[in-house]
Amino acid sequence: MRLYVNIDHVATLREARKTSEPDPVRAAVLAELGGAEGITVHLREDRRHIQDRDVRLLMETVRTGVNLEIAVEEEVVAITTELRPFQVTVVPERRDEVTTEGGLSLETEVSRHRVDRAVRRLQNAGIRVALFVDPDPQTVRHAHDLGVEAVEFHTGEYANTGGEARAEELGRLRAAAVLGRELGLAIHAGHGLTYENVIPVAALPEIEELNIGHSIMSRAILVGMERAVREMRELLREAPGRVKEPGGWVPPLGW
Ligand code: PXP
């Protein structure tokens, strides 16, 4: 099982101020030190978080592999064939969505034709291609017919439900994973996976790669918070001209 860590949220925080920090490249290096076997970023059409430059720098820095999520839009497909990341995961994209909302639709011939054209171009550039799809047998067969190397199953439904419904979703994931493997596809999964819900998915033997972002980034903020505040606190104490306080919290006047 390979863990790919999605670091889009690091760029989201940077773009909130349009500055240079936090830097997704540094985040990627730390994620690798923590054991990530790959780094995932989504180059969205509206560039709301990851920028082209980030992908370029990540590709030069990352020691594992970059999995680039893109939609089948001419401009990003063209850039991707030039950048040539190790892997591309093709995702559906809507401008007004907060995050990817579901798997690619491969139901109609028109939709399959669009995906097919992009897949051909990416594979011709030597890129391994995965399609982000719902764990549905017909969709898995369509993905196989498109000649991709892998499918990433959307685990959002699994993650957003509980009890019986979650058990049913897990069953759907298992069945789709078995079918995909039989057809020779590599099986990936992701979306909405957390420290609490990941184990049953990770226990499916057909799944060889997980993509996890939000939960890891959320925890990173919390487990890193204490140290970050302490470092700033200590830095303030070191400011030249300041009478060194004995340490500890000094109440403001009027407290
Ligand atoms: N896989 C795909 C295709 C995604 O679009 C995303 C979100 O960017 C993820 C996995 C990771 O989802 P999450 O941030 O909920 O872990």
Side-chain angles (χ1 to χ4, degrees):
M1 173 69 75
R2 298 184 297 269
L3 170 64
Y4 271 57
V5 177
N6 182 313
I7 56 167
D8 289 347
H9 288 307
V10 177
T12 300
L13 192 54
R14 180 193 60 194
E15 294 305 307
R17 283 290 179 92
K18 299 271 176 220
T19 70
S20 57
E21 65 173 11
D23 177 8
V25 177
R26 290 188 187 198
V29 170
L30 291 173
E32 285 185 320
L33 282 174
E37 280 121 344
I39 300 297
T40 297
V41 285
H42 187 168
L43 187 64
R44 295 187 75 100
E45 208 190 344
D46 63 8
R47 305 296 198 274
R48 72 167 79 143
H49 39 55
I50 292 291
Q51 308 296 312
D52 302 30
R53 177 174 177 273
D54 296 324
V55 184
R56 266 178 239 283
L57 291 176
L58 282 167
M59 291 203 33
E60 281 175 24
T61 316
V62 161
R63 295 269 180 110
T64 52
V66 172
N67 171 39
L68 188 62
E69 296 176 359
I70 60 165
V72 282
E73 296 298 336
E74 169 54 34
E75 189 233 351
V76 276
V77 172
I79 292 170
T80 305
T81 54
E82 180 210 315
L83 291 171
R84 298 182 35 188
F86 160 67
Q87 177 172 284
V88 160
T89 302
V90 180
V91 299
E93 198 175 295
R94 283 209 351 248
R95 268 185 182 251
D96 54 351
E97 69 190 1
V98 175
T99 179
T100 316
E101 284 173 348
L104 278 172
S105 165
L106 301 175
E107 249 170 68
T108 65
E109 220 165 285
V110 176
S111 61
R112 289 199 295 277
H113 182 65
R114 274 192 82 211
V115 174
D116 185 51
R117 276 186 44 210
V119 169
R120 297 282 82 76
R121 287 174 64 190
L122 295 165
Q123 287 181 330
N124 286 341
I127 303 167
R128 181 176 200 264
V129 180
L131 299 182
F132 185 58
V133 294
D134 292 324
D136 158 70
Q138 193 53 35
T139 312
V140 175
R141 287 193 192 91
H142 285 317
H144 169 255
D145 293 344
L146 287 166
V148 291
E149 284 82 6
V151 281
E152 179 182 336
F153 289 131
H154 180 237
T155 48
E157 287 294 318
Y158 161 83
N160 293 333
T161 53
E164 288 268 307
R166 177 173 284 184
E168 255 173 53
E169 274 306 316
L170 189 63
R172 249 162 57 88
L173 272 170
R174 183 183 296 120
V178 168
L179 173 64
R181 275 309 303 147
E182 277 169 10
L183 294 171
L185 291 162
I187 312 296
H188 308 168
H191 212 284
L193 295 177
T194 66
Y195 293 84
E196 284 75 35
N197 68 23
V198 72
I199 291 299
V201 176
L204 299 177
E206 292 77 16
I207 298 182
E208 61 182 68
E209 180 182 310
L210 290 181
N211 275 281
I212 307 180
H214 187 262
S215 187
I216 296 177
M217 295 305 115
S218 305
R219 184 155 173 77
I221 290 172
L222 294 189
V223 298
M225 183 68 79
E226 195 181 332
R227 177 166 163 194
V229 174
R230 190 175 301 118
E231 283 176 3
M232 178 58 86
R233 189 52 263 177
E234 275 161 18
L235 194 64
L236 298 181
R237 229 171 254 136
E238 299 299 314
R242 257 197 192 267
V243 180
K244 287 244 161 62
E245 293 149 5
W249 183 68
V250 181
L253 279 178
W255 177 262

